[in-house]
CSV table of all heavy atoms in Angstrom, one decimal:
chain,number,residue,atom,x,y,z
A,1,SER,N,37.1,-27.7,-48.1
A,1,SER,CA,36.3,-28.1,-49.2
A,1,SER,C,36.2,-27.0,-50.3
A,1,SER,O,35.8,-27.3,-51.4
A,1,SER,CB,34.8,-28.4,-48.7
A,1,SER,OG,34.3,-27.3,-48.1
A,2,VAL,N,36.6,-25.8,-50.0
A,2,VAL,CA,36.5,-24.7,-51.0
A,2,VAL,C,37.8,-24.1,-51.4
A,2,VAL,O,37.9,-23.2,-52.3
A,2,VAL,CB,35.5,-23.6,-50.5
A,2,VAL,CG1,34.2,-24.2,-50.1
A,2,VAL,CG2,36.1,-22.8,-49.4
A,3,LYS,N,38.9,-24.6,-50.7
A,3,LYS,CA,40.2,-24.0,-51.0
A,3,LYS,C,40.5,-24.2,-52.5
A,3,LYS,O,40.4,-25.3,-53.1
A,3,LYS,CB,41.3,-24.7,-50.2
A,3,LYS,CG,41.3,-24.2,-48.7
A,3,LYS,CD,42.4,-24.9,-47.9
A,3,LYS,CE,42.4,-24.4,-46.5
A,3,LYS,NZ,43.4,-25.1,-45.7
A,4,GLY,N,41.1,-23.1,-53.1
A,4,GLY,CA,41.4,-23.2,-54.5
A,4,GLY,C,40.3,-22.9,-55.4
A,4,GLY,O,40.5,-22.7,-56.7
A,5,ARG,N,39.1,-22.8,-54.9
A,5,ARG,CA,37.9,-22.5,-55.8
A,5,ARG,C,37.2,-21.3,-55.4
A,5,ARG,O,36.6,-20.6,-56.2
A,5,ARG,CB,36.9,-23.7,-55.7
A,5,ARG,CG,37.4,-25.0,-56.1
A,5,ARG,CD,36.3,-26.1,-56.2
A,5,ARG,NE,35.7,-26.3,-54.9
A,5,ARG,CZ,34.4,-26.2,-54.7
A,5,ARG,NH1,33.6,-25.7,-55.6
A,5,ARG,NH2,33.9,-26.4,-53.5
A,6,PHE,N,37.2,-20.9,-54.1
A,6,PHE,CA,36.5,-19.7,-53.6
A,6,PHE,C,37.5,-18.7,-53.2
A,6,PHE,O,38.6,-19.0,-52.7
A,6,PHE,CB,35.6,-20.0,-52.4
A,6,PHE,CG,34.4,-20.9,-52.7
A,6,PHE,CD1,34.2,-21.5,-54.0
A,6,PHE,CD2,33.4,-21.0,-51.8
A,6,PHE,CE1,33.1,-22.2,-54.2
A,6,PHE,CE2,32.3,-21.8,-52.0
A,6,PHE,CZ,32.1,-22.4,-53.3
A,7,THR,N,37.2,-17.4,-53.3
A,7,THR,CA,38.0,-16.3,-52.9
A,7,THR,C,37.2,-15.3,-52.1
A,7,THR,O,36.2,-14.8,-52.7
A,7,THR,CB,38.7,-15.6,-54.0
A,7,THR,OG1,39.6,-16.6,-54.7
A,7,THR,CG2,39.6,-14.5,-53.5
A,8,ILE,N,37.6,-15.0,-50.9
A,8,ILE,CA,36.9,-13.9,-50.1
A,8,ILE,C,37.7,-12.6,-50.2
A,8,ILE,O,38.9,-12.7,-50.2
A,8,ILE,CB,36.7,-14.3,-48.7
A,8,ILE,CG1,35.8,-13.3,-47.9
A,8,ILE,CG2,38.0,-14.6,-47.9
A,8,ILE,CD1,35.4,-13.8,-46.5
A,9,SER,N,37.0,-11.5,-50.3
A,9,SER,CA,37.7,-10.2,-50.4
A,9,SER,C,36.8,-9.2,-49.8
A,9,SER,O,35.6,-9.4,-49.6
A,9,SER,CB,38.1,-9.9,-51.9
A,9,SER,OG,36.9,-9.8,-52.7
A,10,ARG,N,37.4,-8.0,-49.6
A,10,ARG,CA,36.6,-6.9,-49.0
A,10,ARG,C,36.9,-5.6,-49.6
A,10,ARG,O,38.1,-5.4,-50.0
A,10,ARG,CB,36.7,-6.9,-47.5
A,10,ARG,CG,38.1,-6.5,-47.0
A,10,ARG,CD,38.2,-6.8,-45.5
A,10,ARG,NE,37.3,-6.0,-44.7
A,10,ARG,CZ,36.8,-6.3,-43.5
A,10,ARG,NH1,37.3,-7.4,-42.9
A,10,ARG,NH2,36.0,-5.4,-42.9
A,11,ASP,N,36.0,-4.7,-49.6
A,11,ASP,CA,36.2,-3.3,-50.1
A,11,ASP,C,35.6,-2.4,-49.0
A,11,ASP,O,34.4,-2.2,-49.0
A,11,ASP,CB,35.5,-3.1,-51.4
A,11,ASP,CG,35.8,-1.7,-52.0
A,11,ASP,OD1,36.2,-0.8,-51.2
A,11,ASP,OD2,35.7,-1.5,-53.2
A,12,ASN,N,36.4,-1.9,-48.1
A,12,ASN,CA,36.0,-1.2,-47.0
A,12,ASN,C,35.3,0.2,-47.4
A,12,ASN,O,34.4,0.7,-46.7
A,12,ASN,CB,37.1,-0.9,-46.0
A,12,ASN,CG,37.6,-2.2,-45.3
A,12,ASN,OD1,36.8,-3.1,-45.1
A,12,ASN,ND2,38.8,-2.2,-44.8
A,13,ALA,N,35.8,0.7,-48.5
A,13,ALA,CA,35.2,2.0,-49.0
A,13,ALA,C,33.8,1.8,-49.4
A,13,ALA,O,33.0,2.8,-49.4
A,13,ALA,CB,36.1,2.5,-50.1
A,14,LYS,N,33.4,0.6,-49.8
A,14,LYS,CA,32.1,0.3,-50.2
A,14,LYS,C,31.3,-0.5,-49.2
A,14,LYS,O,30.1,-0.9,-49.4
A,14,LYS,CB,32.1,-0.5,-51.5
A,14,LYS,CG,32.6,0.3,-52.7
A,14,LYS,CD,32.6,-0.6,-54.0
A,14,LYS,CE,33.1,0.2,-55.2
A,14,LYS,NZ,33.0,-0.6,-56.4
A,15,ASN,N,31.9,-0.7,-48.0
A,15,ASN,CA,31.3,-1.5,-46.9
A,15,ASN,C,30.7,-2.8,-47.4
A,15,ASN,O,29.6,-3.2,-47.2
A,15,ASN,CB,30.1,-0.7,-46.3
A,15,ASN,CG,30.6,0.3,-45.2
A,15,ASN,OD1,31.8,0.7,-45.2
A,15,ASN,ND2,29.7,0.7,-44.3
A,16,THR,N,31.6,-3.5,-48.2
A,16,THR,CA,31.1,-4.7,-48.9
A,16,THR,C,32.2,-5.8,-48.8
A,16,THR,O,33.4,-5.6,-48.9
A,16,THR,CB,30.8,-4.5,-50.4
A,16,THR,OG1,29.8,-3.4,-50.4
A,16,THR,CG2,30.3,-5.7,-51.0
A,17,VAL,N,31.7,-7.0,-48.6
A,17,VAL,CA,32.5,-8.2,-48.6
A,17,VAL,C,32.0,-9.1,-49.7
A,17,VAL,O,30.8,-9.1,-50.0
A,17,VAL,CB,32.6,-9.0,-47.3
A,17,VAL,CG1,31.2,-9.5,-46.9
A,17,VAL,CG2,33.6,-10.1,-47.3
A,18,TYR,N,32.9,-9.8,-50.4
A,18,TYR,CA,32.6,-10.6,-51.6
A,18,TYR,C,33.0,-12.1,-51.4
A,18,TYR,O,34.0,-12.4,-50.7
A,18,TYR,CB,33.2,-10.1,-52.9
A,18,TYR,CG,33.0,-8.6,-53.1
A,18,TYR,CD1,33.9,-7.6,-52.7
A,18,TYR,CD2,31.8,-8.2,-53.8
A,18,TYR,CE1,33.6,-6.3,-53.0
A,18,TYR,CE2,31.6,-6.9,-54.1
A,18,TYR,CZ,32.5,-5.9,-53.7
A,18,TYR,OH,32.2,-4.6,-53.9
A,19,LEU,N,32.3,-12.9,-52.1
A,19,LEU,CA,32.8,-14.3,-52.2
A,19,LEU,C,32.7,-14.7,-53.6
A,19,LEU,O,31.6,-14.9,-54.2
A,19,LEU,CB,31.9,-15.2,-51.3
A,19,LEU,CG,32.3,-16.7,-51.3
A,19,LEU,CD1,33.7,-16.8,-50.5
A,19,LEU,CD2,31.3,-17.6,-50.6
A,20,GLN,N,33.8,-14.9,-54.3
A,20,GLN,CA,33.9,-15.3,-55.6
A,20,GLN,C,34.0,-16.9,-55.7
A,20,GLN,O,34.9,-17.4,-55.1
A,20,GLN,CB,35.1,-14.7,-56.3
A,20,GLN,CG,35.3,-15.2,-57.8
A,20,GLN,CD,34.1,-14.7,-58.7
A,20,GLN,OE1,33.8,-13.5,-58.7
A,20,GLN,NE2,33.6,-15.6,-59.4
A,21,MET,N,33.0,-17.5,-56.2
A,21,MET,CA,32.9,-18.9,-56.3
A,21,MET,C,33.1,-19.4,-57.7
A,21,MET,O,32.4,-19.0,-58.6
A,21,MET,CB,31.6,-19.4,-55.7
A,21,MET,CG,31.3,-18.9,-54.3
A,21,MET,SD,29.7,-19.5,-53.7
A,21,MET,CE,28.6,-18.8,-54.7
A,22,SER,N,34.1,-20.3,-57.9
A,22,SER,CA,34.3,-20.9,-59.2
A,22,SER,C,34.3,-22.4,-59.1
A,22,SER,O,34.4,-23.0,-58.0
A,22,SER,CB,35.7,-20.4,-59.7
A,22,SER,OG,35.8,-19.0,-59.8
A,23,SER,N,34.3,-23.1,-60.2
A,23,SER,CA,34.2,-24.6,-60.3
A,23,SER,C,33.2,-25.1,-59.3
A,23,SER,O,33.5,-26.1,-58.6
A,23,SER,CB,35.7,-25.1,-60.0
A,23,SER,OG,36.6,-24.6,-60.9
A,24,LEU,N,32.0,-24.6,-59.4
A,24,LEU,CA,31.0,-25.0,-58.4
A,24,LEU,C,30.6,-26.4,-58.6
A,24,LEU,O,30.5,-26.9,-59.7
A,24,LEU,CB,29.8,-24.0,-58.5
A,24,LEU,CG,30.0,-22.6,-57.9
A,24,LEU,CD1,29.0,-21.7,-58.4
A,24,LEU,CD2,29.9,-22.8,-56.4
A,25,LYS,N,30.3,-27.1,-57.4
A,25,LYS,CA,29.9,-28.4,-57.4
A,25,LYS,C,28.5,-28.6,-56.8
A,25,LYS,O,28.1,-27.7,-56.1
A,25,LYS,CB,30.9,-29.3,-56.6
A,25,LYS,CG,32.3,-29.2,-57.0
A,25,LYS,CD,33.2,-29.9,-56.0
A,25,LYS,CE,34.7,-29.8,-56.4
A,25,LYS,NZ,35.5,-30.5,-55.4
A,26,PRO,N,27.7,-29.6,-57.1
A,26,PRO,CA,26.4,-29.8,-56.5
A,26,PRO,C,26.5,-29.7,-54.9
A,26,PRO,O,25.5,-29.2,-54.4
A,26,PRO,CB,26.0,-31.2,-57.0
A,26,PRO,CG,26.7,-31.3,-58.3
A,26,PRO,CD,28.0,-30.7,-58.1
A,27,GLU,N,27.5,-30.2,-54.4
A,27,GLU,CA,27.7,-30.2,-52.9
A,27,GLU,C,27.8,-28.8,-52.3
A,27,GLU,O,27.8,-28.6,-51.1
A,27,GLU,CB,28.8,-31.1,-52.4
A,27,GLU,CG,30.1,-30.9,-53.1
A,27,GLU,CD,30.3,-31.9,-54.3
A,27,GLU,OE1,29.4,-32.1,-55.0
A,27,GLU,OE2,31.5,-32.4,-54.3
A,28,ASP,N,28.0,-27.8,-53.2
A,28,ASP,CA,28.1,-26.4,-52.7
A,28,ASP,C,26.7,-25.8,-52.5
A,28,ASP,O,26.6,-24.7,-52.0
A,28,ASP,CB,28.9,-25.5,-53.8
A,28,ASP,CG,30.3,-25.9,-53.9
A,28,ASP,OD1,30.9,-26.1,-52.8
A,28,ASP,OD2,30.8,-25.9,-55.0
A,29,THR,N,25.7,-26.5,-53.0
A,29,THR,CA,24.3,-26.1,-52.8
A,29,THR,C,24.0,-25.8,-51.3
A,29,THR,O,24.1,-26.7,-50.5
A,29,THR,CB,23.3,-27.1,-53.4
A,29,THR,OG1,23.6,-27.2,-54.8
A,29,THR,CG2,21.9,-26.6,-53.2
């Protein structure tokens, strides 16, 4: 349901994981 719209990434030096969400839909709520 999120392929092509969301991107997960990580920065180990910052101890952080990210989720970039684009083209958001109401069903992503």
Side-chain angles (χ1 to χ4, degrees):
S1 60
V2 306
K3 286 182 179 177
R5 300 188 298 120
F6 291 11
T7 301
I8 187 171
S9 62
R10 65 192 298 158
D11 186 338
N12 291 335
K14 295 181 178 180
N15 276 23
T16 303
V17 63
Y18 305 94
L19 184 67
Q20 179 65 51
M21 304 183 292
S22 301
S23 301
L24 284 162
K25 306 174 181 179
E27 50 262 46
D28 294 319
T29 296

